[in-house]
Amino acid sequence: MTAGIRRSLDYAVVFVAYVATARMGLSFDALSGIATTVWPPTGIALAALILRGTQLWPAVALAAFAVNLPRGIPAWAAALIAVGNTLEAVVGASLLRRFGFDRQMARVRDVLLLVGFAALVSTLISATFGVTATALAGLERTESYSVFWTVWWVGDAMGDLLIVPLICVWAWPWRLSGRPLRWLEALLLGGALTLVSMIVFRRMLSVRAVDLIRGTYAIVPLLIWAALRFEQRGTTAALLLVAVVAVTATASGGSYFAARTPHERLLMTDCYMAVTAVSMLMLAAALAERRSAIGARDEFISIASHELKTPLTALKLRLTAAIRTQALRAPRDAPAEEKLGRSLAAAGTTTDRIVTLVDDLLDASRLTAGRLALHIEVVSLPELVNDVVGRLRDQAAEAGSAIEVDTPEAIVGRWDRIRIEQIVTNLLSNAMKYGGGKPIRLSVHIANGRVRVDVKDAGAGISRADQARIFQAFERVTTKSRVGGLGLGLYIGRQIAVAHGGTLSVDSKPGQGATFTLELPVETSVVPSSSGG
Ligand code: ADP
């Protein structure tokens, strides 16, 4: 499908869904035929802009105008309402994007963002524009402006709370379960939820015994079942089901909620649905966070055991060889002595590797516990850099990467020597591991009172999405060639840089290598600590 056709299809889908659900919403006791507490179009517009980008706004504007024009108000008032509806969606989508909302809603943070920025804040725009337009147009009202505004605002907020999660989490990709038992369970849950909702909201089964215990609380265990077993998709679908039964029952009279007017009853239903939706979305997100933490832990344990096992096996082999050589009766000949020496040297290197791995693990746990202390001293950076490069020369030669160093004579500052060495060592090791055996350039310079260390390689580079990830603990980029590592070096490095008042960042394009930059203030204003570290 060409981009043009796809875009036109997006426009058409948004337009049709907006107009159709608006018609349905307005059929629910709309105040002055225009403000209703049931307003799914707000959610459809926001979800469309989240999934397809804010450039889809003309579809929302056009649909909102088309919905309001035949409502007995002048065209300019319909246009003003459409501006409010469009701005609401654009502002909501932009705020959510700005604060890193993820459409899977698998983090409590995403639910809070949706509630705060979309449901509570962006909807203020549309309600205010709407009420202003109707006031200017002199529309006849049966209710005060404040009730009119509240109805408008609540309708929009509910659209965001119920419809956005539904569309966002049900959007592709789809993977249908092949397990019949799972389908049966879903069917059972759907049936139970419909039945209980009907009993509660529609007063179905008017038996006295049931009437005595009729209450919305009966729905909660079923919604928890949906969250526990069917995650975000199950939760959003279950919430929609309950909302449909509750709203249609409220509109048709015999409602669970008792109030003077239909829109008062609808407002009460909305409040119930809002609290329930937020609670259940939170529960589903918290469960998803737990699942993902367990997944990350299991993956980490598997990587860590593999990483520790490889050097341990090598160490064992070297030591066995050394013991065998040593067991030869003295006096040993020169080749045997040389073999013993080589085995012991290799065992030493392998032990260093294990110590580094364990140190990284300890650092990561210290960082989590907030116990990484710096030991500040006067450090000559060119000296430090040359020391590290000297230590890594053999490893670099093995990887086939020459390290070019460009550093001025003297840059002296107050930092934690060991920790800065740790960062430079990690950046160089990474450049060797992922640099494709091409030359590595390390340069040090000073500008505006800050020192910059650049480590540039000509390897495969890192995609934008991965660049944000690799500075988090245990995050690695999966590639075809398996390169060892725990995914901790950059995480620890960035924390050390930040503790110095500096930064550690990357600039890279896939296929064009990567440049990692450590930036530090010349004077670190951290109180030197003698504990931990
Ligand atoms: P490790 O190297 O132990 O996996 P790091 O935290 O040092 O852990 O790096 C995290 C990930 O970032 C690596 O697994 C690798 O995928 C990616 N990475 C780091 N440095 C580079 C580089 N110079 N070029 C390409 N990818 C890199």
Side-chain angles (χ1 to χ4, degrees):
M1 207 188 317
T2 67
I5 299 179
R6 200 180 155 138
R7 193 114 289 249
S8 316
L9 212 66
D10 283 350
Y11 268 74
V13 169
V14 173
F15 186 87
V16 171
Y18 195 103
V19 173
T21 52
R23 289 259 155 84
M24 187 207 76
L26 289 168
S27 68
F28 288 98
D29 188 57
L31 289 182
S32 307
I34 210 159
T36 162
T37 49
V38 184
W39 196 244
T42 293
I44 287 173
L46 181 60
L49 301 201
I50 290 172
L51 294 177
R52 293 299 207 196
T54 39
Q55 64 272 29
L56 214 64
W57 67 265
V60 174
L62 222 63
F65 185 65
V67 165
N68 287 300
L69 195 58
R71 302 264 125 212
I73 48 170
W76 61 262
L80 198 59
I81 296 176
V83 169
N85 289 342
T86 314
L87 269 180
E88 169 187 75
V90 171
V91 168
S94 308
L95 280 173
L96 290 180
R97 174 158 307 171
R98 165 78 188 71
F99 287 91
F101 172 80
D102 182 74
R103 74 166 177 93
Q104 304 290 345
M105 301 202 59
R107 302 170 305 175
V108 171
R109 172 191 160 78
D110 299 319
V111 180
L112 289 175
L113 286 173
L114 181 76
V115 174
F117 288 134
L120 295 180
V121 171
S122 75
T123 45
L124 300 176
I125 303 174
S126 171
T128 308
F129 268 70
V131 174
T132 311
T134 44
L136 291 176
L139 202 72
E140 251 182 63
R141 289 169 298 110
T142 44
E143 287 281 7
S144 68
Y145 279 123
S146 58
V147 171
F148 206 80
W149 188 93
T150 310
V151 164
W152 199 300
W153 181 65
V154 169
D156 283 19
M158 287 311 297
D160 276 348
L161 279 182
L162 286 174
I163 305 298
V164 173
L166 187 81
I167 299 179
C168 280
V169 307
W170 278 91
W172 62 99
W174 276 41
R175 198 173 44 82
L176 291 183
S177 168
R179 287 160 39 210
L181 271 180
R182 186 129 175 99
W183 285 97
L184 191 69
E185 185 183 350
L187 223 64
L188 217 68
L189 173 60
L193 207 51
T194 313
L195 186 73
V196 175
S197 304
M198 296 286 265
I199 291 176
V200 172
F201 295 113
R202 280 197 172 264
R203 299 197 172 274
M204 205 176 87
L205 222 77
S206 45
V207 179
R208 174 133 176 82
V210 174
D211 264 338
L212 285 174
I213 52 165
R214 199 191 301 272
T216 52
Y217 50 80
I219 294 168
V220 174
L222 295 173
L223 289 175
I224 293 177
W225 175 6
L228 283 174
R229 300 277 302 154
F230 297 94
E231 303 159 20
Q232 280 84 353
R233 287 190 170 170
T235 308
T236 50
L239 285 169
L240 183 76
L241 202 158
V242 176
V244 168
V245 177
V247 169
T248 50
T250 308
S252 68
S255 161
Y256 172 80
F257 298 103
R260 209 164 36 92
T261 61
H263 66 260
E264 277 175 18
R265 285 201 299 274
L266 278 168
L267 271 177
M268 290 166 102
T269 314
D270 278 354
C271 288
Y272 163 74
M273 276 318 302
V275 172
T276 311
V278 174
S279 315
M280 290 304 143
L281 289 171
M282 287 276 198
L283 175 65
L287 288 170
E289 275 184 0
R290 184 168 155 269
R291 261 193 312 278
S292 132
I294 292 173
R297 185 201 63 190
D298 292 348
E299 194 191 338
F300 167 70
I301 291 173
S302 122
I303 293 178
S305 17
H306 181 272
E307 286 303 308
L308 286 166
K309 184 125 179 89
T310 313
L312 276 175
T313 313
L315 184 62
K316 189 145 183 357
L317 280 174
R318 298 297 183 187
L319 289 177
T320 313
I323 290 165
R324 219 179 288 134
T325 314
Q326 208 270 335
L328 291 176
R329 269 195 303 126
R332 286 184 293 270
D333 56 4
E337 284 292 348
E338 201 191 317
K339 199 174 159 205
L340 183 63
R342 263 189 283 125
S343 286
L344 288 175
T349 315
T350 316
T351 313
D352 287 345
R353 165 114 185 91
I354 300 172
V355 170
T356 312
L357 286 170
V358 174
D359 278 346
D360 276 356
L361 285 173
L362 281 175
D363 280 346
S365 83
R366 280 187 192 123
L367 281 167
T368 322
R371 280 191 289 111
L372 191 84
L374 297 182
H375 302 272
I376 304 296
E377 58 185 308
V378 175
V379 179
S380 157
L381 199 58
E383 234 177 85
L384 180 152
V385 163
N386 284 317
D387 270 4
V388 174
V389 172
R391 247 178 277 146
L392 292 175
R393 284 258 182 242
D394 289 349
Q395 207 180 316
E398 230 172 84
S401 300
I403 306 177
E404 268 175 58
V405 184
D406 172 16
T407 153
E409 290 280 292
I411 296 182
V412 176
R414 287 173 50 77
W415 305 294
D416 182 326
R417 176 195 302 274
I418 308 273
R419 291 298 181 185
I420 301 299
E421 269 182 19
Q422 192 178 347
I423 300 181
V424 177
T425 308
N426 177 248
L427 294 184
L428 284 173
S429 310
N430 280 350
M432 288 178 225
K433 283 200 290 188
Y434 309 107
K438 302 199 181 106
I440 299 164
R441 236 186 106 71
L442 189 159
S443 62
V444 182
H445 42 265
I446 191 160
N448 303 328
R450 285 175 84 82
V451 178
R452 252 182 91 124
V453 181
D454 287 318
V455 177
K456 183 172 164 53
D457 67 59
I462 309 160
S463 72
R464 267 214 160 275
D466 288 330
Q467 286 177 28
R469 232 168 29 85
I470 53 175
F471 290 95
Q472 290 165 28
F474 309 123
E475 289 287 356
R476 313 193 67 225
V477 181
T478 345
T479 50
K480 272 182 235 120
S481 54
R482 168 119 184 49
V483 185
L486 294 175
L488 282 174
L490 292 175
Y491 164 69
I492 297 170
R494 177 170 273 183
Q495 306 302 317
I496 295 171
V498 169
H500 279 85
T503 55
L504 178 62
S505 55
V506 65
D507 181 22
S508 173
K509 282 204 185 83
Q512 296 179 21
T515 304
F516 282 85
T517 301
L518 168 67
E519 225 187 78
L520 294 170
V522 176
E523 283 285 323
T524 299
S525 53
V526 173
V527 184
S529 157
S530 54
S531 68

